[in-house]
Each structure stands twice: as C-alpha cells, then as structure tokens.
Amino acid sequence: MSENTQAKPVKVGGPGRGRVMGPRPKLENPGKILSRIMGYVMKFYTPHIFVVVICIVGSVLANVQGTLFLRTLIDDYITPMIGQATPDFGPLLHAISRVALFYLLGVACAYTQARTMVYVTQGTMQRMRNDLFAHMSKLPIRYFDTHTHGDIMSIYTNDIDTMRQMISQSMPQMLNSTITVVSVLISMIRLNVPLTVITLVMVGVMMFTAGKVVGKSGKYFQVQQEALGKVNGFIEERMEGQKVVKVFCHEEKSIEEFKELNEQLFDSAYNANKFANMMGPINAQLGNLSYVIIACVGGALALGKVGGFTLGGLASFLTFNKSFNMPIMQISNQLNSIVMALAGGKRIFDLLDEKPEADEGYVMLVNAKKENGRLVECQERTGLWAWKHTHQADGSVDYVELQGEVVFDGVDFGYTDEKMVLHDVKMFAKPGQKIAFVGSTGAGKTTITNLINRFYDIQDGKIRYDGINVNKIKKADLRRSLGIVLQETNLFTATVKENIRFGKLDATDEEIIAAAKLANADGFIRQLPDGYDTVLTGNGANLSQGQRQLLAIARAAVADPPVLILDEATSSIDTRTEKIVQDGMDKLMSGRTTFVIAHRLSTVKNSDCIMVLEQGRVIERGTHEELIDQKGKYYQLYTGNAITE
Amino acid sequence: MELSRTNHNQTEKARISKKGNTIMVKKLLSQVKEYKADSIKTPLAMVLEVLMETLIPYLMASMIDKGVEAGNLPYIFRIGALMLVLAAVGLWAGIMGGKYGARASMGFGKNLRQAMYENIQTFSFANIDKFSTAGLVTRLTTDVTNIQNAYQMILRMCVRAPISLVCAMVMAFLINARVASIYLIAVILLACVLSVMIRITMKYFSEVFTKYDDLNASVQENITAQRVVKAFVREDYEIDKFHKASGNIYKMFVKAENMIVLNMPLMQFTVYTCIMLISWVGAKMIIQNALTTGELMSLLTYCTNILMNLMMLSMVFVMITMSMASAKRIVEVLDEKPSLSNPEKPDYEVTDGSVRFDNVTFRYNEGSENPVLDHVNLDIAAGETIGILGGTGSSKTTLVNLISRLYDVSEGAVYVGGKDVRAYDMETLRNEVSVVLQKNVLFSGTILENLRWGDENATEEECIRACRLACADEFIERMPDKYNTYIEQGGSNVSGGQKQRLCIARALLKKPKILILDDSTSAVDTATDARIRKAFATEIPNTTKIIIAQRISSVQDADRIVVLDNGRIDGVGTHEELLKVNDIYREVYEAQTGGSGDFDENGGEGNV
C-alpha cells in the first residue's frame, strides 16, 4: 500500500500518444490556468461537482467511521463481554449493522462519485475537443503556417490526455486526500499537540526529501525529453529517407549514429526513472520512521503521565499517524501530474485564445434573377448570382451581378511585415478571361491566388472583385464564388462520392457523376472495388497522385463556381492523360474567369494573358505570341535558351 | 496510424492465438540481453521489500499489544529499533528495486529500439514499401515506450503483488486459519468478478480506441486539408461532422469507463464485508478465548493489504493485455526478413557501366497477375546516355530500380558490367550504380555533410566540383554560410529545384560507373536542366547515364531514348528515329511542343 501505486497508464496506438513527459519549463501563471480549467468544468457540471464533493466527504467519513469502529469494537463491545458467562451479542450485532450501514453509504458514495466523474470527465473532454476543433477551423491559414501539424495534433492527443488524467484522477484524489488530512489533523491535535508537531516535522522531512528526489529526477526527465526529441527526430528523418540510406549504402553509419543517440536516451531515461522510483520506498520508510518515533516518544509521554496522555490515546494516535502520511504521499504523487496537466491546459487555451480569422465583410453573395432588367434577390438557385451590397450609411441595398472580374491594383504583400513577397502587383482579369501565372518556384504565383480568396490579407494596394473591394465581401461568400484546385490534393476519409460532394453539399448523384466525367475521373472510379462508394483512407492513399488530382478537379467542377483557380492542378498527370483531361478542363473553364498556375505550356498557352513573375514582381505580361515576340524571360523559359545571368 | 488502427481489432484474434503470444513475448524478451541480471535483481529486491513490508505491521501490532497497552517502554524501544532496521532494509531493497527496474526496463527499451533500427537497415525496398514511414516511426517510438513502461511495471509489480498477497495470506492463516478462510473466499470471488470485468472492459476499450484513433486521424486530415476546407467554405460542415464523431466517442468512453468505475466500489464493498464478518466471527472467538484482540487487529490490517494487491494484479493484467498490440507491432518489424541478400561468394568488382536486361519480368507481389514489367530486353553500352520516357504508371522507375538491385527480378535477369546483378556484393553494386531517387531527401546537417553521403572522404574541392557539375554551386555560393549552410529537417529551407540539384551532386560524388536520374530535374528550370546535362556530357563522358524524364527536352539529345508503355518497351531509338516511327513518342512530343506544350520546357528549337 505504501508503494507508489500510482500506475503509469499504458496507452495503445496513435502516434505520439505515449509521449513520455517530465516537468516542463516553469509555467507563468499556474493559478490562472487552473482556475480557467475549473471554470471550464464548472460551466456545465456545477451540479455534478457538487454531488462529487458531497460523495467524497461521505466516503471519507465512512472510512474514518471504520477506523473509529475498530477501537469501539474492542473497547466497548468485546472487552466487556470477555469473562461474561452468557455474553449478550445483541448490542454487538446492533453496532455492526449500524457500521455496515455507514459502509454501505460509503460504497454508494464512492460509486456515485466515480460514476459522476465519468460524465464530467468525458463530457469535458468532448466539449474541449469540440471547442478546439471548431475554433481551429476558424483560424486563419497563417496559424497553420506557423505551427507544425505535429504540434497541433499533440494538443488533441497528449494535452487532452493530461487533462483527462487531471480531472478524473488528480482532482478527486487531491480533494479526498485534503479532506482526510484535515480531519485526521484535527483529531491528532485534539489527542496530543507535541506528538502532532513531531508528525508534522516528519511530514516536512518527507516533503523535503521528496522535493530533492523530484528535483533530481526532474532534471533528468528534462534531459530525457531532449534526448527523446532527438531520437524521435532522427528516426522520423531516417525512416523518411530510408531508401536514400539504402541507395548510398549508409546502413552501417546510420546504425552507429542511432546507437549514439539511443545510448544518450537510455542514460537520461535510466536516471530519471531511477530517481522517480526511489520516491515510493523513501516515503514509505520515512512513514515507518515517523511511526516508530511517535511510538517511542508517545510511550515515554504516556508512561510519564505527561499532560494526561494515556496509552489508549497513543494507540489511536498511532493509527492516525499512519493514515496521515498516506494522503500526504498521494498529494505529492498527484502534484507532478497536475503540473503536467497545467502545461497541457496552457497549450489548449493558447489554441482557443488564438484570434480567429477576422471578417468585417458585409457584402453577401445571393441568388438572383432578372425582373424588368433589374436584379432581384431570390431563394432558389437560378445560376445567376449577385453581390448584395448593403450601404452602411443609409441601409440601402444595391445588387451587383457576379461576373468574375478581378483587379489587383498595386498590391504589396508579405507573410511577415519585414519581408515582402509581392511588390506592386497589377492585374486586370475581365469576366471569362483566362489568366496564367508563370515563373520559377518561389516567384509568388501561389501567393497571388491566396490573396484572391483572402487566405492572407494584403499590406498595401487594392483587390477588387466585380468592382467591390474584397475586404468588404464576407469571406465565406467570397470563397464560395471561387472554385479552387490546389497543388497539393487533400482528400478526406470518406467515399469517393462524398469527396466529390464536398464541392456542393446538395449535389445529386447525377451531378457528381457528371462532374467526374467532366474531369475524366469516371473511368477509374468505376474500376475501384465499390465504384463511387469506395471508401478512401489516408488522403486517398490507394489512388495515384494523378487520380487524386482528377478527383480534386471533379470536386471543383461540381461546385460550379464563376471563378476558378487552378494551382498546378494537373502537375501530376502525365502529358498523355492531361490531353484527355484537357477537354474537361476546357469545358470547365469556358465562360469562367480562370487563374491558372502551371509549368506546362498546354495549360498556359491559350490564356488571354500570361503574367511572368519573378521575385514577387510581374516582369512581363501579354499573350503567348506577344511574349514570344518580346524575347524576354518568357521566351527564355519557353525555349530553354539560357541567357546567362 | 493506419497500422495502429487495424491492430486494435486484433485483440480478438490475439486472444485466440495464445501460442502466438508466447512466441511473441519470447521474441521480445530475447532483446533484454545485457539487462538480464537487472531484470532478475529487480523482482528479488521487490520480494525483500515486500517481506519487510509484511513484517512491519506485525511488529506494529505487537508493539501495541505488548508495548503500548502493557506500558512496557523498553519493549517499545526494542521493537522500535527492530522496526528501524527492517525499515532500513526495506528502504535499501526499495531503492535497489527502483534502480534495477529502471535500468532493466530502459535498457530493454533501448535494445528493442536498436534491434528494430538495425533490422530496418537490412530491409530491401520491398520491405520498406510494406511498412509505411509513419508506421515505422510509431513502432520505434510510441510502441517501444509502451513496452518499456509495461516491462518496468511487470518487473516491479507482477512479482510484488502476488508475493505480497501470499505473504499477507500466510500471515493471516498463521494467526487464525478459520478467520483467514474468509479472505480466501473473498479473494476467489473477487478474482472471478474482476476477470469477467476485465474481459468486458477490454472489449469496450479496444472498440473505443479504434474510434478514438479514427477521430484523431480525422483531426489530422483536417489540419492538412485546412486550405481545401476554407476554400470550399466547409468549416461548419466539418465541425458538424466532428461533433457527431466526438459525441459518439463520448458515448463509447462513458460506456467503457462505467465498467471500470465499478472496480473501486466493488473492492470497497468486499473489504467492508470482510471487516464486518471478521469483526463478528472474531468477536465471538475472542470471547471463546480462541483469539486475542491484537490478533484481530492484525487480521484486519492484512485485509486491505490482500485486496489491494488483488486489485493491483488486475490492473497489471489489463496493462499487459493492452501493451500486447504494441508488442505485436514491434515483433512484426523484428521478424521481417530482408527480401534481398548478398550471394554466398559475392563479386566485388564492377568492370564497366554496361547494362543488359534479359527478358525481364517483374511483379511487386508474387501473386499479382499483371506484371509491372513484361519481358523487357534492353542493352545499354558503357558510357551511353539513355533517356527513358513514358506516362505515369509505365514502370520507368521500376525499370531503373532493378539495375542497382533495389528489387529482384521475377523472371529473367539484369546484367551490369556483364554479370548478373545478383552475383555482386550489394554495396559494391550500389556504389557503382548511383541513383538519384524520384522522392529524394536531404538530411539535417550542413550541405557538406549531406554531400559527403556520396563519399565520406571527399575533399571540399571535390564537393564543390560535384556541385558545379550539378549547377548547385550558383545558389550555394549565394547562401551566407555557403557549403556550411545548415539544411533543416526535410530540406525545408531549400527550394525543390535546389534540393534536386544537391541530390544530384551527392550522387555524383560517388563517382559511379552508372548514374541514374529518376525524374530528378523536374523542379529545375529548363535552362539549368540543359546546363546540367551538358556538364554530364563533357565532364563524365565514360559514365553510363540513364535519365528518366517527363519533358522531352531532358531526353531528346540522349544517345538513345526508351519509350515505355505499360511495362513494355514500346520503342528504342534516337529522337529523330522515334519521331518517325513511334506514335507515343510523337504524341508526347506534339503535346509538349506543337500546340500545347510544357512551359518551362525546351520546346524543340525548330518548332517555336
């Protein structure tokens, strides 16, 4: 019992879930985080917590009752009966049934408490997950640029897990232990003050040693964290590059390097665990020491009749001494996991405190129809869209037909204010035009398209959409009017059909199949085991890169947006297949303003305007023929005739 | 992650194959190696600690009975001193147990990691394909952590709890067999109930963990697909989906946990019932003079002890079962046999850079019907430059991977320097056949360190020369630290084209007889691409160069071009020849140049 019974939970599955944790750098404001966590729990579960507190008090009292009963059992019932000729067991039976009632109450309390805590814990976890996810979905793209996916994931797995530990175990345990400590302390003081002082001094010694040991192991835990980080980083990198290791016959060296890191990890892990393991025995034996001291000193006091202290009192005191040390140890055990939970809580709240994507836009996209040559808003889908512009000054409403005219006027942009990526970009896309961006990697092609749908906000200049400043358009409406196929194809764990339907949630099966046909994806989809109902997993891991791009094109096609952005949408489709897709793409692009980023001429050549970008500036613009005639950068890139820089 | 998900379902199967489990555990334990002594000392120390722990309450009881109650101060001192000695022994045993346990388990973890890592190094490409990268990482990290923690738990608790239970039981029986038999009955009853509960809980938990992994997978998916979600304005749709899933998880967790929370009250109920029964029976016996008060007190102390240990055992058991999934995943890696091995008397010399494919057929899976390469015959002379062209899935990469024996042919043979590749020492072969992989990686370290993967002893001048050949020197020179620039993990601080050029330079440093570029200049602009090829032609004329490319311009001036289609050679010849006779080649050529070509592409000088 005195052994450190607090089990390290062994968890199964999931990357990173078994992350070994040690003390972290000092938290800035632990009290604030704690009260925030409590607030989070109390917001929905105040009555539950109330019940739990009552139950804890109930079970502690039942326990104390049990301890007391043992003495009364012997002193008041058994001892008087000894020597009686015809002992009357009636009162004993009565007493036992009364205690049994208390015990039963205690069991009921323990059960109610545990059961209620399940709801509180799991409910809070669910709420936290939901809040995290909902909030995360509203964060600007910038957040995902500045935080690694691994770190964000770890909030959902590791940090949520520390919260579970804290809410379900540490908190009730702390409460339980505190109540026990207080009630036992009061009883002890009432029995004998000097002995209480000795007990407290011993507790102080225990805490002091524990602190020393924890400090020592904490130091090593930190070293272990670092070593573990190094080992994990090394493993990740080498597993990713395992084929390169093979090709370069680097196996031996790789093993040597790993061995060194692994050895370092062992060293720190061994030391950290060694000291952590010492805690239990040290505390247990110090508890025994405390017991012996009290027995000796108390014996001397009782026999010397100092202050009317009796032997019976000493016996009781010894029982209390034992039941005093245990909860203290439990509290110290829980402290570490609370510190860890607070660190986890901080990261959770950090995410929740991130400023969501701001949207001051008020111009909305609505369905419209023409009545007497005037645009009128309507509910049904007409295929005609209008921007509903409510003037803030007088509340009057204007409707502007959605046509897909996009204008960039002197746009400057940088991901950070210090480093501009785009300089003074001017662009004019008439409705239905096809605009292409070309240029080497890092020239700012993708960045421009990210500005049209306002993934990022510009530092200077203006972007107008059908004559409206994009900042005035509600982001959701702006993005709904733009179809986008990104360089990196992301599919979801769902059926093929659902993945395409992502573009338009109320699309019928016919519409989906039509879109798939348009993108030339119908053929391969039908060859999948369950056709359109085949479940894709792991970002479409069982499809080729090209097939995934075709699905992404179908997804954009079903959305049927007036403006299209194709960012290297066909880069992974080989030239021959692309020719087949091209028809579909042409159909898709006809009548829509389209922005195309591509390194293949086939997608670029027939554009109404080709913009050549270099280091964030538009250096050439014009049709294919014009640019060829100019014999500038485009010509150079196109013909491969290097003009030495 | 996928692998871990499927593995939860295997708990069912695992139960059936008890025998398989024993083999698995044996396999794992064979990695304890030099920590065997520590692994034995740990439970021994724990036993000693338990003995002390059992004796101390006994001494406490006698201290009260004969010392305190009798007012015998010298006796108190004597027993106190004895207790201190026992406590010191217990302390020593506890600390030693902790120390040995830590060393044994952490050492075990270290050995497991090392053994897995070393075995992975022997993996062939086929073995690597079988496990996903993420899967291997999880096995090396999370799974090992799980096992080493479980091992520590087993060493320290598994022996301790039963011994402690038995000790307490023996003491109880020594005091009074009749009363102690109440414990025996309680223990048996509780053990039965607990085992049923564990079974049900395990089932619930394996279900809930599967779902939990799915939930996390969907979070991961949403993080990576954030742009798509935003672009389609599907935030609310995804949030809704997530809420449903998390609500489901909530219900399942509550169901599973409600089972677990029965543990504590059940245990308390048993303890209390025992106390009641023993009080009643004990009281009667005391009056009949069959028991003393002190003995009754001791009996009651052992009561909690016995049941706590039973509880602990059940917990350890749950943990062992839960870590079985991790054990299984680790053993899978340890058990994986490399699909390629060196011949018995390997050849250590590659005479020249000629390559011959002799009726080569290749399948990735033995069982699959359609071969990836179908009866390929091809002769490449030393020093020749060969271009390989073909659509996605035409097996270009597969073809070249056979040359450095990254895979073994299914039928036929591949000859390098006139000898079957299977006759060479693999390292010799791979040093002479340098491949720049399509999916290439740089490692964290300086540029020089990365380059020296090609040749450990390369001088800085040699490295610079290789970079000049690969046209990498121009951007390296512009970097503040030049060749000492630190490449971040995954090469995130260099652009795609720069990375490719560094990879080419790295491969060049091997000074190979055969150089294979597998679509290695796709992110390099056409002009630079041309310069690299020109440098190859003039600087390393005797090296056989095999170039896979999407762009016609990259292969157009090769000595011969091989057109692959669906795993067959559709045509071989020079650019001009193929234009005349090969439909596929002409089609690609026209697509890339004529009306609609490849942008950063040399569209064929005559055609613009």
Side-chain angles (χ1 to χ4, degrees):
Chain A
M1 192 88 153
S2 50
E3 170 66 26
N4 180 2
T5 54
Q6 192 205 7
K8 289 192 194 102
V10 175
K11 284 159 285 176
V12 186
R17 251 204 270 158
R19 193 165 85 182
V20 182
M21 299 208 234
R24 284 155 196 293
K26 284 249 182 290
L27 286 169
E28 264 179 30
N29 209 336
K32 213 168 135 197
I33 299 166
L34 185 67
S35 70
R36 224 175 138 180
I37 296 172
M38 287 317 295
Y40 206 95
V41 177
M42 296 300 260
K43 198 164 152 200
F44 297 97
Y45 293 103
T46 309
H48 293 75
I49 296 294
F50 189 66
V51 170
V52 166
V53 171
I54 289 183
C55 286
I56 288 177
V57 173
S59 39
V60 169
L61 287 183
N63 246 324
V64 172
Q65 176 74 19
T67 322
L68 292 178
F69 171 68
L70 291 185
R71 289 229 67 77
T72 41
L73 172 75
I74 295 166
D75 289 352
D76 301 351
Y77 296 98
I78 299 178
T79 319
M81 276 194 282
I82 296 175
Q84 285 181 9
T86 49
D88 178 13
F89 285 100
L92 177 62
L93 194 65
H94 185 74
I96 287 185
S97 6
R98 204 182 59 227
V99 174
L101 209 67
F102 271 107
Y103 276 150
L104 216 56
L105 205 71
V107 171
C109 277
Y111 181 64
T112 317
Q113 177 217 329
R115 188 85 192 229
T116 316
M117 276 320 281
V118 169
Y119 290 102
V120 175
T121 313
Q122 290 303 330
T124 309
M125 294 300 96
Q126 187 203 7
R127 252 168 242 287
M128 244 176 208
R129 277 191 201 109
N130 285 352
D131 284 356
L132 278 174
F133 190 85
H135 193 79
M136 181 186 83
S137 300
K138 303 236 151 75
L139 291 179
I141 292 293
R142 204 178 280 277
Y143 179 82
F144 299 93
D145 294 342
T146 48
H147 295 77
T148 70
H149 294 174
D151 282 350
I152 305 176
M153 262 330 280
S154 150
I155 295 176
Y156 283 89
T157 52
N158 296 313
D159 295 337
I160 285 269
D161 211 55
T162 60
M163 292 308 265
R164 185 186 59 77
Q165 190 86 12
M166 171 169 165
I167 296 173
S168 73
Q169 287 175 18
S170 307
M171 296 243 229
Q173 181 87 70
M174 285 290 260
L175 199 60
N176 195 323
S177 302
T178 315
I179 295 176
T180 313
V181 165
V182 170
S183 62
V184 170
L185 186 64
I186 292 171
S187 315
M188 284 201 305
I189 291 173
R190 276 170 52 190
L191 269 173
N192 190 294
V193 178
L195 289 183
T196 311
V197 173
I198 294 177
T199 310
L200 287 177
V201 167
M202 281 312 289
V203 166
V205 173
M206 265 158 100
M207 302 266 228
F208 177 76
T209 349
K212 279 266 178 227
V213 177
V214 164
K216 222 161 169 106
S217 88
K219 210 180 78 207
Y220 281 111
F221 265 117
Q222 220 141 22
V223 180
Q224 183 199 0
Q225 273 315 102
E226 277 164 36
L228 190 68
K230 267 195 210 152
V231 166
N232 286 359
F234 184 86
I235 288 174
E236 255 167 58
E237 184 174 281
R238 284 301 154 94
M239 289 302 114
E240 194 65 54
Q242 189 56 38
K243 288 194 171 178
V244 177
V245 172
K246 292 304 286 189
V247 164
F248 282 92
C249 302
H250 232 68
E251 296 93 336
E252 293 296 324
K253 192 139 184 254
S254 201
I255 289 175
E256 283 311 308
E257 284 170 359
F258 182 70
K259 195 166 197 165
E260 203 174 302
L261 290 175
N262 199 13
E263 208 60 58
Q264 282 169 13
L265 172 62
F266 164 73
D267 243 28
S268 52
Y270 161 56
N271 279 310
N273 274 281
K274 183 173 79 185
F275 285 110
N277 286 348
M278 282 180 188
M279 282 281 289
I282 290 179
N283 273 343
Q285 302 311 337
L286 281 177
N288 284 333
L289 181 65
S290 167
Y291 190 94
V292 172
I293 293 177
I294 297 290
C296 295
V297 176
L301 284 181
L303 292 179
K305 305 244 166 9
V306 182
F309 191 59
T310 66
L311 288 171
L314 176 59
S316 297
F317 197 95
L318 284 173
T319 327
F320 284 133
N321 174 281
K322 238 188 131 186
S323 52
F324 187 66
N325 290 336
M326 224 178 43
I328 297 263
M329 256 153 61
Q330 277 167 347
I331 291 178
S332 75
N333 278 343
Q334 294 301 335
L335 274 179
N336 195 33
S337 70
I338 287 182
V339 169
M340 252 155 53
L342 289 183
K346 184 176 179 304
R347 280 187 296 269
I348 290 175
F349 289 125
D350 277 351
L351 196 158
L352 290 177
D353 287 345
E354 279 290 331
K355 269 236 292 283
E357 198 172 1
D359 189 7
E360 327 73 64
Y362 50 88
V363 176
M364 293 194 293
L365 187 67
V366 293
N367 285 299
K369 57 185 173 193
K370 283 233 167 98
E371 266 177 18
N372 309 325
R374 278 189 57 234
L375 276 175
V376 183
E377 187 178 344
C378 62
Q379 291 305 314
E380 70 273 16
R381 232 180 139 104
T382 52
L384 187 67
W385 300 88
W387 295 111
K388 181 180 178 182
H389 195 157
T390 314
H391 291 278
Q392 280 168 321
D394 52 2
S396 65
V397 180
D398 262 355
Y399 291 98
V400 180
E401 191 181 332
L402 172 81
Q403 289 182 309
E405 181 195 271
V406 179
V407 177
F408 272 55
D409 188 9
V411 168
D412 288 346
F413 172 75
Y415 290 99
T416 57
D417 283 336
E418 294 83 50
K419 199 179 161 222
M420 286 294 141
V421 181
L422 294 178
H423 309 273
D424 193 28
V425 172
K426 290 194 178 69
M427 177 183 81
F428 189 81
K430 285 202 200 108
Q433 271 193 334
K434 181 176 173 186
I435 310 286
F437 299 102
V438 298
S440 48
T441 324
K445 295 169 294 186
T446 302
T447 310
I448 291 195
T449 60
N450 280 339
L451 298 182
I452 301 176
N453 57 17
R454 284 192 71 202
F455 275 172
Y456 303 94
D457 280 332
I458 54 176
Q459 265 84 351
D460 201 13
K462 286 228 162 62
I463 303 174
R464 291 179 195 281
Y465 192 144
D466 286 332
I468 308 165
N469 187 338
V470 285
N471 288 342
K472 290 187 186 161
I473 303 176
K474 275 185 82 148
K475 275 187 180 163
D477 288 320
L478 173 70
R479 287 174 190 164
R480 268 200 294 146
S481 74
L482 301 160
I484 192 161
V485 183
L486 294 168
Q487 198 167 359
E488 203 141 309
T489 320
N490 288 116
L491 298 172
F492 296 88
T493 304
T495 64
V496 171
K497 204 189 275 174
E498 284 164 338
N499 264 294
I500 299 177
R501 190 170 278 144
F502 196 79
K504 182 185 169 198
L505 294 182
D506 54 356
T508 62
D509 284 3
E510 287 71 37
E511 285 177 282
I512 285 169
I513 293 169
K517 279 187 175 150
L518 187 84
N520 205 38
D522 186 65
F524 86 82
I525 295 173
R526 285 186 194 279
Q527 279 172 19
L528 295 175
D530 295 314
Y532 280 86
D533 294 315
T534 309
V535 176
L536 303 178
T537 51
N539 195 14
N542 30 359
L543 301 179
S544 77
Q545 180 66 26
Q547 288 171 333
R548 280 157 51 189
Q549 282 196 325
L550 294 183
L551 280 185
I553 295 169
R555 182 167 65 185
V558 84
D560 192 24
V563 176
L564 263 181
I565 298 171
L566 306 175
D567 185 352
E568 295 279 16
T570 54
S571 60
S572 296
I573 303 171
D574 65 278
T575 324
R576 293 184 75 213
T577 319
E578 199 200 355
K579 258 185 88 181
I580 311 167
V581 186
Q582 203 56 55
D583 299 335
M585 296 286 282
D586 284 343
K587 267 184 245 159
L588 187 62
M589 285 188 271
S590 77
R592 296 172 213 273
T593 313
T594 310
F595 296 94
V596 177
I597 298 173
H599 66 265
R600 269 208 201 118
L601 197 55
S602 46
T603 354
V604 167
K605 201 171 173 185
N606 63 349
S607 306
D608 296 295
C609 181
I610 300 170
M611 323 257 287
V612 184
L613 285 167
E614 196 172 84
Q615 293 183 352
R617 285 174 209 279
V618 180
I619 53 167
E620 285 168 33
R621 69 180 78 211
T623 63
H624 174 72
E625 287 71 26
E626 288 165 9
L627 289 178
I628 290 294
D629 287 345
Q630 266 184 33
K631 290 228 162 23
K633 180 80 180 172
Y634 181 80
Y635 175 82
Q636 178 199 335
L637 285 167
Y638 178 63
T639 59
N641 289 340
I643 299 164
T644 13
E645 287 156 55
Chain B
M1 188 154 5
E2 233 127 295
L3 287 153
S4 73
R5 230 182 288 155
T6 49
N7 268 297
H8 290 307
N9 298 334
Q10 284 160 358
T11 9
E12 284 286 308
K13 273 190 225 147
R15 204 180 300 140
I16 303 164
S17 60
K18 276 259 159 64
K19 224 180 204 170
N21 276 351
T22 328
I23 297 170
M24 191 168 86
V25 170
K26 263 192 195 148
K27 179 99 198 169
L28 275 187
L29 288 182
S30 69
Q31 293 302 330
V32 175
K33 288 182 186 162
E34 70 263 40
Y35 299 102
K36 223 172 260 164
D38 288 307
S39 301
I40 295 167
K41 279 188 215 155
T42 311
L44 287 181
M46 294 327 279
V47 169
L48 188 61
E49 199 197 6
V50 167
L51 283 178
M52 296 305 118
E53 231 165 65
T54 326
L55 285 174
I56 287 172
Y58 180 77
L59 288 183
M60 283 180 183
S62 87
M63 190 190 250
I64 292 177
D65 271 359
K66 293 178 197 146
V68 178
E69 310 256 296
N72 186 347
L73 200 56
Y75 187 82
I76 294 183
F77 286 150
R78 215 166 55 234
I79 297 291
L82 188 58
M83 263 176 80
L84 283 186
V85 172
L86 292 188
V89 174
L91 181 67
W92 180 79
I95 288 180
M96 285 302 125
K99 189 177 141 188
Y100 293 137
R103 190 150 66 202
S105 57
M106 296 304 132
F108 180 44
K110 178 188 84 177
N111 283 348
L112 276 179
R113 238 177 269 125
Q114 192 70 31
M116 275 162 88
Y117 193 83
E118 285 182 14
N119 200 36
I120 291 171
Q121 297 310 310
T122 68
F123 280 13
S124 69
F125 271 36
N127 298 118
I128 299 170
D129 294 339
K130 203 169 127 189
F131 298 94
S132 67
T133 306
L136 284 178
V137 172
T138 314
R139 285 159 211 253
L140 276 163
T141 52
T142 316
D143 286 332
V144 171
T145 310
N146 282 347
I147 292 295
Q148 84 186 10
N149 286 347
Y151 189 62
Q152 170 148 273
M153 191 80 193
I154 291 167
L155 285 185
R156 301 186 62 216
M157 293 296 146
C158 241
V159 177
R160 197 203 144 89
I163 296 260
S164 177
L165 189 121
V166 170
C167 279
M169 198 68 105
V170 167
M171 293 300 271
F173 268 93
L174 282 181
I175 293 170
N176 191 298
R178 228 179 99 198
V179 182
S181 55
I182 294 178
Y183 288 140
L184 202 58
I185 297 167
V187 164
I188 292 168
L189 277 179
L190 197 61
C192 290
V193 178
L194 279 180
S195 73
V196 171
M197 266 174 50
I198 286 173
R199 221 160 252 210
I200 300 173
T201 324
M202 283 302 295
K203 206 184 106 228
Y204 283 165
F205 267 101
S206 71
E207 275 171 30
V208 80
F209 275 130
T210 317
K211 286 279 172 206
Y212 186 52
D213 275 354
D214 286 350
L215 185 81
N216 285 332
S218 96
V219 173
Q220 177 108 46
E221 208 166 79
N222 262 280
I223 296 172
T224 25
Q226 198 50 228
R227 277 164 198 266
V228 177
V229 173
K230 283 202 186 298
F232 283 97
V233 198
R234 290 289 175 260
E235 289 98 331
D236 289 331
Y237 172 72
E238 287 298 317
I239 291 171
D240 243 30
K241 229 168 73 183
F242 183 84
H243 280 193
K244 268 189 208 124
S246 79
N248 203 5
I249 295 271
Y250 165 75
K251 278 188 215 126
M252 291 175 76
F253 260 122
V254 165
K255 197 168 128 193
E257 297 240 335
N258 272 342
M259 225 37 225
I260 288 209
V261 299
L262 273 176
N263 261 347
M264 204 56 204
L266 192 72
M267 153 92 190
Q268 282 186 351
F269 182 76
T270 320
V271 172
Y272 291 151
T273 313
C274 282
I275 291 178
M276 301 282 98
L277 282 176
I278 288 168
S279 305
W280 175 246
V281 176
K284 282 196 158 175
M285 287 176 73
I286 289 174
I287 289 152
Q288 290 155 11
N289 264 332
L291 196 74
T292 69
T293 350
E295 284 170 344
L296 180 66
M297 292 293 278
S298 299
L299 274 174
L300 290 172
T301 321
Y302 288 122
C303 173
T304 14
N305 204 332
I306 289 172
L307 294 161
M308 270 313 285
N309 280 307
L310 192 66
M311 200 71 178
M312 191 99 85
L313 264 183
S314 79
M315 207 168 70
V316 171
F317 185 75
V318 168
M319 265 180 223
I320 293 176
T321 330
M322 281 168 98
S323 58
M324 275 318 222
S326 287
K328 202 177 153 106
R329 282 199 292 266
I330 290 177
V331 170
E332 268 169 12
V333 174
L334 290 177
D335 271 349
E336 183 78 11
K337 296 266 179 308
S339 59
L340 298 179
S341 56
N342 250 355
E344 282 198 6
K345 280 186 196 139
D347 227 313
Y348 288 103
E349 210 194 324
V350 180
T351 45
D352 61 57
S354 67
V355 179
R356 184 158 64 89
F357 284 82
D358 184 18
N359 224 0
V360 168
T361 296
F362 178 76
R363 293 180 181 84
Y364 279 104
N365 292 313
E366 292 293 315
S368 63
E369 252 176 53
N370 295 329
V372 183
L373 285 175
D374 198 359
H375 296 96
V376 171
N377 284 294
L378 182 65
D379 244 312
I380 301 171
E384 223 183 340
T385 302
I386 295 288
I388 299 181
L389 203 89
T392 335
S394 61
S395 314
K396 300 176 298 248
T397 301
T398 314
L399 184 80
V400 296
N401 278 347
L402 296 180
I403 301 174
S404 54
R405 203 184 167 208
L406 297 173
Y407 297 92
D408 263 348
V409 294
S410 306
E411 287 162 41
V414 178
Y415 297 89
V416 167
K419 275 179 238 154
D420 192 324
V421 288
R422 285 168 290 193
Y424 288 110
D425 166 59
M426 284 199 280
E427 191 167 338
T428 311
L429 180 70
R430 287 176 191 161
N431 278 332
E432 294 298 346
V433 183
S434 192
V435 193
V436 183
L437 295 170
Q438 191 175 13
K439 257 181 124 181
N440 226 318
V441 253
L442 293 173
F443 298 94
S444 40
T446 65
I447 289 183
L448 269 184
E449 279 165 10
N450 266 289
L451 290 171
R452 284 187 177 137
W453 272 61
D455 176 7
E456 248 180 277
N457 307 313
T459 61
E460 198 161 335
E461 284 68 41
E462 284 175 298
C463 292
I464 294 174
R465 182 175 167 263
C467 286
R468 206 170 292 142
L469 265 174
C471 293
D473 59 328
E474 44 198 69
F475 73 84
I476 298 174
E477 292 293 342
R478 261 183 278 138
M479 290 176 156
D481 295 323
K482 306 229 160 78
Y483 285 84
N484 289 315
T485 305
Y486 193 84
I487 304 286
E488 302 289 337
Q489 188 174 345
S492 56
N493 55 343
V494 283
S495 78
Q498 294 174 337
K499 205 159 109 183
Q500 286 187 332
R501 282 180 273 172
L502 282 176
C503 288
I504 294 174
R506 180 172 66 180
L508 281 173
L509 272 171
K510 267 195 185 177
K511 302 195 191 72
K513 291 208 166 66
I514 301 172
L515 176 67
I516 300 174
L517 303 183
D518 186 356
D519 210 2
S520 313
T521 52
S522 58
V524 177
D525 66 86
T526 327
T528 314
D529 184 21
R531 289 219 315 276
I532 296 174
R533 270 178 291 120
K534 204 166 163 197
F536 282 178
T538 52
E539 302 280 330
I540 46 167
N542 297 325
T543 303
T544 311
K545 293 163 284 279
I546 302 176
I547 300 168
I548 296 182
Q550 296 267 352
R551 303 175 189 151
I552 291 261
S553 67
S554 304
V555 295
Q556 174 168 36
D557 46 5
D559 295 325
R560 278 185 303 157
I561 300 160
V562 178
V563 180
L564 274 180
D565 186 42
N566 264 325
R568 287 165 202 266
I569 293 189
D570 192 73
V572 183
T574 62
H575 174 66
E576 285 72 25
E577 287 165 11
L578 287 173
L579 268 188
K580 271 182 225 144
V581 298
N582 192 285
D583 291 340
I584 295 180
Y585 191 79
R586 198 165 42 235
E587 208 180 305
V588 175
Y589 178 74
E590 276 161 10
Q592 289 189 7
T593 57
S596 50
D598 205 31
F599 177 71
D600 32 39
E601 153 76 33
N602 178 353
E605 281 84 348
N607 287 282
V608 189

